[in-house]
Amino acid sequence: MALCCAWRPLPRHLRPLRALLGALAPRDCSLLTEKRAARWKVAANRECCGLPGSSWEERLANAVTPLWRLPYQEQLQVKYESQRKIFQTLTSRLEELSTDVQKSGGLCCPLRPVVASPVINGYRNKSTFSVNRGPDGNPKTVGLYVGTGRERNIVCVKASHMENIPPKHKQVAQCYEEFIRRSSLDPCILFHEGGHWRELVVRTTSRGHTMAIVTFHPQQLSQEALATQKALLKEFFTCGPGSVCALTSLYFQESTMTRCSHEQSPFQLLHGEPHIFEEVLGLKFRISPDAFFQVNTCGAEVLYQAVGELSQAGEDTVLLDVCCGTGTIGLSLAHQVSRIIGIEVVEKAVEDARWNAAFNGISNCEFHSGKAEAVLPQLLSSWEDARPLVAVVNPSRAGLHYKVVQAIRNCKSIRRLLYISCKPEGEAMRNFLELCCPADPGKKLAGEPFTPMLAIPFDMFPHTAHCELVLLFTR
C-alpha cells in the first residue's frame, strides 16, 4: 500500500471554538415543549419490547437509536436536557461535599448547547455485529440484539435499516451471514453449548479502507480443522460472494471469552494489509484491529479542535494525554505545544501512536504502554518540569482508576484538566467528585481541588441518546 503524508485544508465544519459556540442559538434549551417531549417519549419507550404491530426493524431502531424519529434539531434539544439533568445531579453532589460551587444558571458551571455532528447518518466507522437466533428462528443471523439475556428474550435482528450504520458495514454483515449459513459449523450462541461462529467487527475509514474481524470459538477443533475454516473464510471474502466487500484487511480471532485482547488471543491476518488508515485534522493515523478510535470521524475533528482551544496550551506547555488510544488527541495538538506524553493500556494502540507520530514527522511526543494507574503515579511523583502541564483524560465508561485521580490531584503542576466522557452519568461522575472534593489526607487526596469551569456536549452519536461531554476543570 502506497503511503503519503500531506496536510489538507480543514473541512468547513471546523471553525474556531468561539465561532462554533457563537453559531449555536442562544435560545433557552433548558425545557422541551410538551409536544416535543411527548414525541421523544413515544419513540424511546417502544424499545426492544415494541408496541403491538411494530416490526422487528422498528424495535431494533427504537432500542439502539431511540431518537431516530425526531428531527435532528429536536434530538439535540433532548440531549441538552439530558445533560442538564446530569449537571443538576453533579451540582447537588458537590454541594453535599461542602465544595464552593459557583452556580451558573443553577448549575456548577456553564453548560453549552450540544454541538451538532457534521454527519448525521451512516457516521459510524466501527460496528460490532452479533450472531444469534433471528426473528424467524434461524440461529445463523448476523445483526444487533433486541431483548436481554436476563429476560431470555434475545433476538438478533439484521441492521440493514439502521440509520447510524454505513452501507459498507451492512454489506459485510450480510456477506458474513451468507458465509456462516453455508458453513457446516454451528454458531456459538452460548459457550457451554458449543458452536463456533461468533461476532463480526467492521471498521472503515474515509479513505475507503475496510477491515473485517471475525471472532471464532475453537472449542475442541484441531489445528488442521481450524486451518480449514480460516481458508474457507478467506476464500469466501477474496474469491467468493464476499469479494464484493473489497476488504482491505480480514482478521480472524480464536476467542474463548466474551472479549479478548490481542495479547490474550492474537488477531490473525488472513488477507490484506495489517492496518487501515484514517485522516484527522490533516494527519494520517494507522488503526489496528483493537485500537480505540472515535466512532464518528468528522465529529472527532470538531471535538479535538475544541479540546485544543479549551486547553489553552502554548509553546511552553506539556500536554499529558491519558488513555490516548492511537494518539489522535495529542498528535493533533503537537504543533501548538512543547511536548506530548501519552499513556495507553492497549499495546498495539501504542505501537500505532508511535508509528503515527513518526509518519507525520512529529518528534515532540512519547507514548507509554501500560495501565494508567501504574504508569501515571510513577511519572508524576518525580515531576520536576517547570513548564505548564495540561492534562486531557479520555477513559472508557469505567472511568479513571482512583490512583489516576490521586496522581492528578497531587501534582501541583496540573492546573488545567479536560475530562472527555461518553457517559458522564456513570463512573465519570465519581471521578468528577473525586477531582473537586476538599483535600482528604486519609484518602491520599492532598492536592488542591479542581473546579468545573465549562461543559460542552458534542453529538458524536446522532439518533442515540448519548453525547460525548468535554468538561473543563481548573484550579
Side-chain angles (χ1 to χ4, degrees), residues 176-204:
Y176 180 54
E177 180 177 283
E178 181 179 348
F179 171 77
I180 65 173
R181 289 191 175 188
R182 293 184 179 195
S183 173
S184 60
L185 299 184
D186 293 330
C188 179
I189 296 176
L190 297 174
F191 289 1
H192 66 277
E193 292 184 357
H196 302 278
W197 299 112
R198 292 185 52 223
E199 283 185 347
L200 167 73
V201 175
V202 183
R203 305 186 78 152
T204 50

CSV table of all heavy atoms in Angstrom, one decimal, residues 176-204:
chain,number,residue,atom,x,y,z
A,176,TYR,N,-21.2,-12.0,5.7
A,176,TYR,CA,-20.8,-12.9,6.8
A,176,TYR,C,-21.9,-13.8,7.1
A,176,TYR,O,-21.7,-15.0,7.3
A,176,TYR,CB,-20.3,-12.1,8.0
A,176,TYR,CG,-19.9,-12.9,9.2
A,176,TYR,CD1,-18.9,-13.9,9.0
A,176,TYR,CD2,-20.5,-12.8,10.4
A,176,TYR,CE1,-18.5,-14.6,10.1
A,176,TYR,CE2,-20.1,-13.5,11.5
A,176,TYR,CZ,-19.1,-14.5,11.3
A,176,TYR,OH,-18.7,-15.2,12.4
A,177,GLU,N,-23.1,-13.3,7.1
A,177,GLU,CA,-24.3,-14.2,7.4
A,177,GLU,C,-24.4,-15.2,6.3
A,177,GLU,O,-24.7,-16.4,6.6
A,177,GLU,CB,-25.6,-13.4,7.5
A,177,GLU,CG,-26.8,-14.2,7.7
A,177,GLU,CD,-28.1,-13.4,7.9
A,177,GLU,OE1,-28.2,-12.8,8.9
A,177,GLU,OE2,-28.9,-13.3,6.9
A,178,GLU,N,-24.2,-14.8,5.0
A,178,GLU,CA,-24.3,-15.8,4.0
A,178,GLU,C,-23.2,-16.9,4.1
A,178,GLU,O,-23.4,-18.1,3.9
A,178,GLU,CB,-24.1,-15.1,2.6
A,178,GLU,CG,-24.2,-16.1,1.4
A,178,GLU,CD,-24.0,-15.4,0.1
A,178,GLU,OE1,-24.1,-14.1,0.0
A,178,GLU,OE2,-23.8,-16.1,-0.9
A,179,PHE,N,-22.0,-16.5,4.6
A,179,PHE,CA,-20.9,-17.4,4.8
A,179,PHE,C,-21.2,-18.4,5.9
A,179,PHE,O,-21.1,-19.7,5.7
A,179,PHE,CB,-19.6,-16.7,5.1
A,179,PHE,CG,-18.5,-17.6,5.5
A,179,PHE,CD1,-17.8,-18.4,4.6
A,179,PHE,CD2,-18.2,-17.8,6.9
A,179,PHE,CE1,-16.8,-19.3,4.9
A,179,PHE,CE2,-17.2,-18.7,7.2
A,179,PHE,CZ,-16.5,-19.4,6.3
A,180,ILE,N,-21.7,-18.0,7.0
A,180,ILE,CA,-21.9,-18.9,8.1
A,180,ILE,C,-23.1,-19.8,7.9
A,180,ILE,O,-23.2,-20.9,8.4
A,180,ILE,CB,-22.0,-18.2,9.5
A,180,ILE,CG1,-23.3,-17.3,9.5
A,180,ILE,CG2,-20.8,-17.4,9.8
A,180,ILE,CD1,-23.5,-16.7,10.9
A,181,ARG,N,-24.0,-19.3,7.0
A,181,ARG,CA,-25.2,-20.2,6.7
A,181,ARG,C,-24.8,-21.3,5.7
A,181,ARG,O,-25.4,-22.4,5.7
A,181,ARG,CB,-26.3,-19.3,6.1
A,181,ARG,CG,-27.0,-18.5,7.2
A,181,ARG,CD,-28.3,-17.8,6.7
A,181,ARG,NE,-28.9,-17.1,7.8
A,181,ARG,CZ,-30.2,-16.6,7.7
A,181,ARG,NH1,-30.8,-16.7,6.6
A,181,ARG,NH2,-30.7,-15.9,8.7
A,182,ARG,N,-23.7,-21.1,5.0
A,182,ARG,CA,-23.2,-22.1,4.1
A,182,ARG,C,-22.3,-23.1,4.9
A,182,ARG,O,-22.0,-24.2,4.5
A,182,ARG,CB,-22.3,-21.5,3.0
A,182,ARG,CG,-23.1,-20.7,2.0
A,182,ARG,CD,-22.2,-20.2,0.9
A,182,ARG,NE,-22.8,-19.4,-0.1
A,182,ARG,CZ,-22.3,-19.2,-1.3
A,182,ARG,NH1,-21.1,-19.6,-1.6
A,182,ARG,NH2,-23.0,-18.4,-2.2
A,183,SER,N,-21.7,-22.6,6.0
A,183,SER,CA,-20.8,-23.4,6.8
A,183,SER,C,-21.4,-24.6,7.5
A,183,SER,O,-22.6,-24.6,7.9
A,183,SER,CB,-20.1,-22.5,7.9
A,183,SER,OG,-19.3,-23.3,8.8
A,184,SER,N,-20.7,-25.7,7.6
A,184,SER,CA,-21.1,-26.9,8.3
A,184,SER,C,-21.0,-26.7,9.8
A,184,SER,O,-21.6,-27.5,10.5
A,184,SER,CB,-20.3,-28.1,7.8
A,184,SER,OG,-18.9,-27.9,8.2
A,185,LEU,N,-20.4,-25.7,10.3
A,185,LEU,CA,-20.2,-25.5,11.7
A,185,LEU,C,-21.3,-24.6,12.3
A,185,LEU,O,-21.8,-23.7,11.6
A,185,LEU,CB,-18.9,-24.8,12.0
A,185,LEU,CG,-17.6,-25.6,11.6
A,185,LEU,CD1,-16.4,-24.8,12.1
A,185,LEU,CD2,-17.6,-27.0,12.2
A,186,ASP,N,-21.7,-24.9,13.5
A,186,ASP,CA,-22.8,-24.1,14.2
A,186,ASP,C,-22.3,-22.8,14.7
A,186,ASP,O,-21.1,-22.6,15.0
A,186,ASP,CB,-23.3,-24.9,15.3
A,186,ASP,CG,-24.1,-26.2,14.9
A,186,ASP,OD1,-24.6,-26.2,13.7
A,186,ASP,OD2,-24.0,-27.2,15.6
A,187,PRO,N,-23.2,-21.9,14.9
A,187,PRO,CA,-22.8,-20.6,15.6
A,187,PRO,C,-22.6,-20.9,17.1
A,187,PRO,O,-23.2,-21.8,17.6
A,187,PRO,CB,-24.0,-19.7,15.3
A,187,PRO,CG,-25.2,-20.6,15.3
A,187,PRO,CD,-24.6,-21.9,14.6
A,188,CYS,N,-21.8,-20.0,17.7
A,188,CYS,CA,-21.6,-20.1,19.2
A,188,CYS,C,-22.5,-19.1,19.8
A,188,CYS,O,-22.1,-17.9,19.9
A,188,CYS,CB,-20.1,-19.9,19.5
A,188,CYS,SG,-19.8,-20.0,21.3
A,189,ILE,N,-23.6,-19.5,20.3
A,189,ILE,CA,-24.6,-18.6,20.9
A,189,ILE,C,-24.3,-18.6,22.4
A,189,ILE,O,-24.2,-17.5,23.1
A,189,ILE,CB,-26.0,-19.0,20.6
A,189,ILE,CG1,-26.3,-18.8,19.1
A,189,ILE,CG2,-27.0,-18.2,21.4
A,189,ILE,CD1,-27.6,-19.3,18.7
A,190,LEU,N,-24.2,-19.7,23.0
A,190,LEU,CA,-23.8,-19.9,24.4
A,190,LEU,C,-22.5,-20.8,24.5
A,190,LEU,O,-22.5,-21.9,23.9
A,190,LEU,CB,-24.9,-20.5,25.3
A,190,LEU,CG,-26.2,-19.7,25.4
A,190,LEU,CD1,-27.3,-20.5,26.1
A,190,LEU,CD2,-25.9,-18.4,26.1
A,191,PHE,N,-21.5,-20.3,25.1
A,191,PHE,CA,-20.2,-21.0,25.1
A,191,PHE,C,-20.3,-22.5,25.5
A,191,PHE,O,-19.7,-23.4,24.9
A,191,PHE,CB,-19.2,-20.3,26.0
A,191,PHE,CG,-18.7,-19.0,25.5
A,191,PHE,CD1,-19.2,-18.5,24.3
A,191,PHE,CD2,-17.8,-18.2,26.3
A,191,PHE,CE1,-18.7,-17.2,23.9
A,191,PHE,CE2,-17.3,-17.0,25.8
A,191,PHE,CZ,-17.8,-16.5,24.6
A,192,HIS,N,-21.1,-22.7,26.6
A,192,HIS,CA,-21.2,-24.1,27.1
A,192,HIS,C,-22.0,-25.0,26.2
A,192,HIS,O,-22.0,-26.3,26.4
A,192,HIS,CB,-21.7,-24.1,28.5
A,192,HIS,CG,-23.2,-23.7,28.6
A,192,HIS,ND1,-23.5,-22.3,28.6
A,192,HIS,CD2,-24.3,-24.4,28.7
A,192,HIS,CE1,-24.8,-22.2,28.7
A,192,HIS,NE2,-25.4,-23.4,28.7
A,193,GLU,N,-22.7,-24.5,25.3
A,193,GLU,CA,-23.5,-25.3,24.4
A,193,GLU,C,-22.7,-25.6,23.1
A,193,GLU,O,-23.3,-26.3,22.2
A,193,GLU,CB,-24.8,-24.6,24.0
A,193,GLU,CG,-25.8,-24.5,25.2
A,193,GLU,CD,-27.1,-23.9,24.9
A,193,GLU,OE1,-27.3,-23.6,23.7
A,193,GLU,OE2,-28.0,-23.9,25.8
A,194,GLY,N,-21.5,-25.2,22.9
A,194,GLY,CA,-20.7,-25.5,21.8
A,194,GLY,C,-21.0,-24.4,20.7
A,194,GLY,O,-21.5,-23.3,20.9
A,195,GLY,N,-20.6,-24.8,19.4
A,195,GLY,CA,-20.7,-23.9,18.3
A,195,GLY,C,-19.4,-23.1,18.2
A,195,GLY,O,-18.5,-23.0,19.1
A,196,HIS,N,-19.3,-22.4,17.0
A,196,HIS,CA,-18.0,-21.7,16.7
A,196,HIS,C,-18.2,-20.3,16.2
A,196,HIS,O,-17.5,-19.4,16.7
A,196,HIS,CB,-17.3,-22.5,15.6
A,196,HIS,CG,-17.0,-23.9,16.0
A,196,HIS,ND1,-16.0,-24.3,16.8
A,196,HIS,CD2,-17.7,-25.1,15.8
A,196,HIS,CE1,-16.0,-25.6,17.0
A,196,HIS,NE2,-17.0,-26.1,16.4
A,197,TRP,N,-19.0,-20.0,15.2
A,197,TRP,CA,-19.0,-18.7,14.6
A,197,TRP,C,-19.7,-17.7,15.6
A,197,TRP,O,-20.8,-17.8,16.1
A,197,TRP,CB,-19.8,-18.7,13.3
A,197,TRP,CG,-19.2,-19.6,12.3
A,197,TRP,CD1,-19.7,-20.8,11.8
A,197,TRP,CD2,-17.9,-19.5,11.7
A,197,TRP,NE1,-18.9,-21.4,10.9
A,197,TRP,CE2,-17.7,-20.6,10.8
A,197,TRP,CE3,-16.9,-18.5,11.7
A,197,TRP,CZ2,-16.6,-20.7,10.0
A,197,TRP,CZ3,-15.8,-18.7,11.0
A,197,TRP,CH2,-15.6,-19.8,10.1
A,198,ARG,N,-18.9,-16.5,15.8
A,198,ARG,CA,-19.4,-15.5,16.7
A,198,ARG,C,-19.4,-14.2,16.1
A,198,ARG,O,-19.9,-14.0,15.0
A,198,ARG,CB,-18.5,-15.6,18.0
A,198,ARG,CG,-18.6,-16.9,18.8
A,198,ARG,CD,-17.8,-16.8,20.1
A,198,ARG,NE,-18.1,-15.6,20.9
A,198,ARG,CZ,-17.2,-14.8,21.4
A,198,ARG,NH1,-15.9,-15.2,21.3
A,198,ARG,NH2,-17.5,-13.7,22.1
A,199,GLU,N,-18.9,-13.2,16.8
A,199,GLU,CA,-19.1,-11.8,16.4
A,199,GLU,C,-18.3,-11.4,15.1
A,199,GLU,O,-17.3,-12.1,14.7
A,199,GLU,CB,-18.5,-10.9,17.5
A,199,GLU,CG,-19.5,-10.7,18.6
A,199,GLU,CD,-18.9,-9.6,19.6
A,199,GLU,OE1,-17.7,-9.3,19.5
A,199,GLU,OE2,-19.7,-9.2,20.5
A,200,LEU,N,-18.8,-10.3,14.5
A,200,LEU,CA,-18.1,-9.7,13.4
A,200,LEU,C,-17.9,-8.2,13.7
A,200,LEU,O,-18.9,-7.5,14.1
A,200,LEU,CB,-18.9,-9.8,12.1
A,200,LEU,CG,-18.5,-8.9,10.9
A,200,LEU,CD1,-17.2,-9.5,10.3
A,200,LEU,CD2,-19.6,-8.9,9.9
A,201,VAL,N,-16.7,-7.7,13.6
A,201,VAL,CA,-16.4,-6.3,13.8
A,201,VAL,C,-16.0,-5.7,12.4
A,201,VAL,O,-15.2,-6.3,11.7
A,201,VAL,CB,-15.3,-6.0,14.8
A,201,VAL,CG1,-15.0,-4.5,14.8
A,201,VAL,CG2,-15.8,-6.5,16.2
A,202,VAL,N,-16.6,-4.6,12.0
A,202,VAL,CA,-16.3,-4.0,10.7
A,202,VAL,C,-15.8,-2.6,11.0
A,202,VAL,O,-16.5,-1.8,11.8
A,202,VAL,CB,-17.5,-3.9,9.8
A,202,VAL,CG1,-17.0,-3.3,8.4
A,202,VAL,CG2,-18.1,-5.3,9.6
A,203,ARG,N,-14.6,-2.2,10.5
A,203,ARG,CA,-14.1,-0.9,10.6
A,203,ARG,C,-13.8,-0.3,9.2
A,203,ARG,O,-13.3,-1.0,8.4
A,203,ARG,CB,-12.8,-0.9,11.4
A,203,ARG,CG,-12.9,-1.5,12.8
A,203,ARG,CD,-11.6,-1.4,13.6
A,203,ARG,NE,-11.5,0.0,14.2
A,203,ARG,CZ,-10.8,0.2,15.3
A,203,ARG,NH1,-10.2,-0.7,16.0
A,203,ARG,NH2,-10.8,1.5,15.7
A,204,THR,N,-14.2,1.0,9.1
A,204,THR,CA,-14.0,1.6,7.8
A,204,THR,C,-13.4,3.0,8.0
A,204,THR,O,-13.4,3.5,9.1
A,204,THR,CB,-15.3,1.8,7.0
A,204,THR,OG1,-16.3,2.4,7.8
A,204,THR,CG2,-15.8,0.4,6.5
